[in-house]
């Protein structure tokens, strides 16, 4: 268990163990959200955004017929240079 004190300005220092656990570094943003049971959770906002994007794009490659690195490169070439796949 870790404890943090709130300053007069409402700031807290996240304990080093928690920063390490969440992969936080100077300048990172922390996301606070409340679960349905009232518990408040904090997480690394960048990591949360990446997970959300990964979830949103899940299955997109298969739907587009992309199954290899060569397919990815062909798609990049098509977008960059207008080359057909």
């Amino acid at each position: 268990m870790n404890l943090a004190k709130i300053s007069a300005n409402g700031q807290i220092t996240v304990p080093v163990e928690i920063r390490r656990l969440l992969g936080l570094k100077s300048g990172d943003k922390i996301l606070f959200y409340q679960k349905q049971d009232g518990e408040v959770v904090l997480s690394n906002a960048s990591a949360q955004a990446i997970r959300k994007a990964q979830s949103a794009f899940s299955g997109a490659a298969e739907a587009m017929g992309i199954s290899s690195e060569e397919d990815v490169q062909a798609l990049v070439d098509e977008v960059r240079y207008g080359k057909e796949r």
Side-chain angles (χ1 to χ4, degrees), residues 13-70:
T13 299
V14 178
V16 68
E17 296 86 5
I18 303 301
R19 291 194 311 265
R20 286 182 185 144
L21 179 69
L22 295 176
L24 294 169
K25 50 194 175 319
S26 180
D28 283 351
K29 295 186 186 247
I30 299 174
L31 175 66
F32 293 87
Y33 60 95
Q34 186 175 11
K35 294 168 56 172
Q36 285 191 318
D37 65 0
E39 180 180 11
V40 176
V41 179
L42 70 114
S43 68
N44 183 328
S46 298
Q48 188 77 9
I50 289 169
R51 284 192 293 275
K52 191 172 182 179
Q54 286 173 328
S55 177
F57 286 108
S58 177
E62 292 84 5
M64 295 178 66
I66 297 172
S67 60
S68 68
E69 278 209 39
E70 290 80 19

